[in-house]
Amino acid sequence: MSTHPLKQVLVIGAVLAATGVLVPAASNAAPQRIVRQPPLQFWEFREFTADGSDTHVAGNGTLDNPALGDGSPLETVIDWGRAQFDLDPDPPDFRANGRVFASSNGATFGVQAQSPTGDVSNPLSRIGDTTRLVQYQAFVKDTDDATLTFVVSSTRIDMLDVNGTSEPPPPQCPAQTPSVTTCQGTMEGQAIYSVRAYDADGTFYNTSGGAKVSGWEGNFLPQVWKDSFAKAPFWSPRNFTFEPHVNGPTDVSRASLTLNGSVRLRVDLSSVPVGGLFAVRADAIASAYDRRGRGEGSGVIVFLQDPVEATGTNIRVRGAHAVPDSLIIPPPDDPTPPVECPSGTDPRAGTLQFSASTYGTGEWAGAAPSVVVTRQGGSRGAIGATLTSTDGTAVAGADYTPVSTTVTFADGERTPQAITVPITPDVVPEDDKTVHLTLSDPVCTTVGAQSEADLTIVDDDRIVEPPPTFAVGGTVHGLEGHGLELANLGEHLTVDGDGAFQFPARRPDGSGYEIVVATQPTDPDQVCTVANGTGTIQSADVTNVDVECAAPPPVAGLDPTFGGDGRVTTPGLGSGRAVVVQPDGKVVVAGARFLARYLDDGTLDPDFGAGGTVTTGVDAAFFGDAIDVALQPDGMIVVAGVTSGGGNEDFAVERYDSIGHLDPNFNGSG
């Protein structure tokens, strides 16, 4: 496929509550003190393979590498393989890079992950990866009014998929009944960022928020939530903008979920005495996986940063100072206090219900089996309800870990809350299984209409025959030249001689095809035309596309079929300065402040600009003298000239798409 110069960013995070080599496990013993240089930073890279495995690849940190304790910044990059697109096109390397970074003072840290171009039909192929970072830092409180603020400065989730909008075929989505629900985890990116503050008496601040985009082309679903165990507020859906950017089935489909501005997390230090020691732990994970990866192209990139500056000004500490010699291992979490409503249920409290009637998750590493509870119709007072899982066709203890937990919303809180149902992966081929979920025993509220839901666990070990695919091709006649190139919806094929031809990519039934001549043959020059080049695959190979090649007509004076006598004059446009002929025979002319495109009979092309013309320039002086016009292989039109703005002559360039619109991807404005 052609490379799309997109800055695609995807953020994923998760709480590193017990990550083995990364984080010291909490225990019920009395808190301990460890002598370390602040901050302590632990990191890990893991890979997901098509067989559903999650494997530790690399890990390190201050405890394992004392050199990092001397104040040196932490930055490590890992290459996961080839990628379909790149995060930084200066210059793009089209490699799937995982990255973890942190400043020596702990003010800036972040993670990045990017899905490689994998093959889900190969069990050992890498299709995703995770970057994890956890950072500890200790402080002493100096004043009663001390404050500590974290800033989440950058979070974005982007998907790119140009495979077509029908349900992903096996093994991309191995569900017994493919649907928007069961195939939602075909591509996925998720972001969770958490902060926990604690002292010798326990945890006094705990918050965690998540964001996710999952699905496939034309069916991308965004989610934003606060984790149910978090006690303090975090972000909400209002903090994000979702842009699906969905185009047609033969074009690029993108989806992006972007954090609007920054989110500030204010740590309440009122319970810490002056002179008291406390510590803060911040957690981030970036993961990206893509079971969709095919020749046409798809991919995911993940990036999370907090804050945006390395100077420490965005992590604001007032009335407290970091200390270099103490760090408290976190005590166990305190239980969630019960909700009380002494005055009875307030009608303005709203109701609790599931966000959907069905959820889906894959039985493979990287899938996020979360369900979401929402608060509807009000936000007055604290409310809660009990979420309980029961066996459907899935069996607790064998297929999943049973869940029974209280979901609470604080006074004024409406951010959806996520509850994870842990899945137990295995290598046994079996049917898809379901877990039944119920909301009951509401406190200070009522349960809404969606009080029950089902979670489908999609088995990835069952052998599922993929649906048939079909070839597209035909026959070339009369070819004597060299370099004939045919194109079919972005796929290119060079043909060297007469006879049958066939594009390498096989396409599913019902998909469209559109074969055109991308490059005409030369030596000798010939003109090739396509017949029967457009249609829809109907349960059979396409073999009737005819390509006829012949010598170009002799040049003998003006062409009377062009404008009637070989000439065209368009009043009001001034002089033409440069001309280029498109492969389809249309003629593009650049003048002092205009572009015009003519059909092969000399009439203005009504599909170009406004009736065939476009006014160039961004101000009165722009393109005071057009010099040249060029056509890119993808149909983009580039105009070069000079501008005399500000009393100086400067070089100037504009780029237009094939219908005469300025290309916003070119310098942001065209």
Side-chain angles (χ1 to χ4, degrees):
M1 62 168 285
S2 61
T3 301
H4 301 276
L6 307 175
K7 281 193 174 182
Q8 309 279 349
V9 182
L10 177 70
V11 176
I12 294 182
V15 179
L16 302 181
T19 54
V21 300
L22 295 181
V23 183
S27 69
N28 293 323
Q32 306 173 45
R33 294 192 176 190
I34 302 174
V35 178
R36 289 289 176 184
Q37 286 276 46
L40 281 172
Q41 297 153 344
F42 308 86
W43 57 269
E44 181 188 36
F45 295 112
R46 303 185 74 87
E47 69 174 6
F48 306 144
T49 49
D51 63 358
S53 299
D54 175 9
T55 305
H56 169 84
V57 175
N60 212 323
T62 307
L63 288 180
D64 297 328
N65 185 357
L68 294 178
D70 64 2
S72 302
L74 165 69
E75 180 166 6
T76 302
V77 178
I78 189 170
D79 187 338
W80 294 113
R82 186 171 64 89
Q84 286 290 346
F85 58 94
D86 208 354
L87 174 65
D88 187 356
D90 188 25
D93 62 0
F94 300 104
R95 306 298 297 176
N97 295 317
R99 178 175 175 244
V100 58
F101 58 95
S103 62
S104 59
N105 63 359
T108 297
F109 53 90
V111 286
Q112 174 184 314
Q114 183 173 359
S115 65
T117 302
D119 178 7
V120 74
S121 63
N122 177 3
L124 300 181
S125 178
R126 183 186 293 124
I127 61 172
D129 48 82
T130 290
T131 304
R132 301 171 183 257
L133 173 68
V134 59
Q135 175 172 294
Y136 291 85
Q137 199 158 20
F139 298 87
V140 169
K141 183 175 177 180
D142 298 323
T143 63
D144 281 330
D145 59 351
T147 60
L148 174 63
T149 303
F150 278 76
V151 180
V152 183
S153 58
S154 179
T155 301
R156 176 166 172 153
I157 302 177
D158 275 78
M159 302 286 196
L160 171 67
D161 185 10
V162 293
N163 286 293
T165 57
S166 59
E167 284 82 5
Q172 296 176 24
C173 175
Q176 288 174 293
T177 306
S179 67
V180 172
T181 297
T182 56
C183 294
Q184 199 62 48
T186 302
M187 298 175 65
E188 187 163 292
Q190 177 177 263
I192 299 178
Y193 177 81
S194 68
V195 175
R196 181 181 179 188
Y198 50 90
D199 59 14
D201 295 326
T203 297
F204 57 84
Y205 180 89
N206 187 0
T207 191
S208 179
K212 179 173 72 172
V213 177
S214 58
W216 72 95
E217 182 176 347
N219 294 278
F220 289 120
L221 174 68
Q223 288 184 333
V224 177
W225 68 87
K226 188 190 85 169
D227 286 299
S228 61
F229 59 82
K231 306 299 190 299
F234 203 76
W235 55 35
S236 74
R238 294 188 300 274
N239 294 115
F240 285 81
T241 297
F242 180 63
E243 298 178 285
H245 292 305
V246 177
N247 300 316
T250 62
D251 205 345
V252 179
S253 182
R254 311 165 201 161
S256 64
L257 184 65
T258 308
L259 181 65
N260 304 321
S262 300
V263 172
R264 284 171 168 74
L265 308 178
R266 305 182 188 279
V267 180
D268 183 2
L269 302 177
S270 60
S271 64
V272 181
V274 173
L277 175 70
F278 67 94
V280 178
R281 187 184 77 190
D283 303 276
I285 301 178
S287 299
Y289 77 88
D290 175 19
R291 298 177 61 88
R292 187 79 157 136
R294 294 163 59 191
E296 290 88 341
S298 60
V300 177
I301 301 180
V302 179
F303 180 78
L304 171 63
Q305 182 160 318
D306 175 18
V308 75
E309 297 181 13
T311 61
T313 57
N314 276 358
I315 294 182
R316 296 183 175 88
V317 182
R318 183 171 62 85
H321 66 277
V323 293
D325 60 351
S326 296
L327 180 70
I328 302 174
I329 294 178
D333 279 332
D334 295 330
T336 301
V339 174
E340 297 181 356
C341 46
S343 301
T345 300
D346 190 327
R348 295 167 293 180
T351 62
L352 295 182
Q353 64 181 37
F354 290 107
S355 63
S357 60
T358 57
Y359 301 92
T361 185
E363 191 193 62
W364 53 76
S370 296
V371 297
V372 177
V373 175
T374 62
R375 185 177 192 173
Q376 304 288 333
S379 60
R380 177 67 65 89
I383 61 175
T386 300
L387 187 151
T388 307
S389 66
T390 54
D391 290 355
T393 55
V395 177
D399 301 307
Y400 73 101
T401 301
V403 173
S404 180
T405 186
T406 300
V407 181
T408 61
F409 285 74
D411 181 21
E413 184 178 18
R414 300 189 68 167
T415 300
Q417 296 199 20
I419 299 90
T420 296
V421 180
I423 304 303
T424 306
D426 57 39
V427 294
V428 179
E430 53 194 351
D431 293 337
D432 296 343
K433 297 183 177 181
T434 59
V435 180
H436 189 65
L437 306 166
T438 304
L439 276 177
S440 61
D441 302 325
V443 179
C444 306
T445 183
T446 58
V447 175
Q450 196 63 64
S451 62
E452 298 184 355
D454 288 310
L455 171 66
T456 298
I457 305 171
V458 177
D459 182 73
D460 65 335
D461 304 304
R462 186 177 62 255
I463 298 176
V464 181
E465 292 297 330
T469 56
F470 302 94
V472 177
T475 307
V476 175
H477 303 279
L479 179 60
E480 298 178 359
H482 303 279
L484 171 63
E485 186 178 19
L486 303 178
N488 179 28
L489 302 178
E491 182 184 11
H492 290 251
L493 175 68
T494 299
V495 181
D496 296 324
D498 275 1
F501 71 89
Q502 180 175 291
F503 284 87
R506 298 179 64 85
R507 298 176 178 267
D509 190 28
S511 60
Y513 60 92
E514 184 178 352
I515 298 177
V516 297
V517 176
T519 305
Q520 296 286 2
T522 59
D523 192 26
D525 290 344
Q526 289 187 285
V527 176
C528 301
T529 58
V530 178
N532 306 322
T534 302
T536 302
I537 295 174
Q538 297 180 343
S539 303
D541 291 342
V542 175
T543 59
N544 66 335
V545 179
D546 288 323
V547 180
E548 296 284 346
C549 300
V555 178
L558 292 171
D559 178 8
T561 66
F562 187 78
D565 62 353
R567 299 180 178 87
V568 170
T569 299
T570 304
L573 296 185
S575 60
R577 305 296 179 87
V579 64
V580 64
V581 181
Q582 297 183 177
D584 59 3
K586 295 179 181 180
V587 179
V588 179
V589 179
R593 288 185 177 86
F594 75 92
L595 275 180
R597 188 166 72 187
Y598 300 87
L599 303 177
D600 57 5
D601 64 357
T603 59
L604 286 169
D605 182 1
D607 295 328
F608 185 79
T613 65
V614 172
T615 300
T616 61
V618 296
D619 55 40
F622 193 79
F623 287 123
D625 188 10
I627 301 300
D628 209 351
V629 61
L631 188 70
Q632 295 185 181
D634 60 359
M636 292 287 189
I637 300 168
V638 181
V639 181
V642 295
T643 175
S644 56
N648 300 313
E649 277 197 342
D650 296 315
F651 180 72
V653 178
E654 285 187 323
R655 185 165 72 183
Y656 296 84
D657 64 18
S658 60
I659 59 173
H661 294 158
L662 279 170
D663 178 13
N665 293 322
F666 187 71
N667 198 34
S669 65

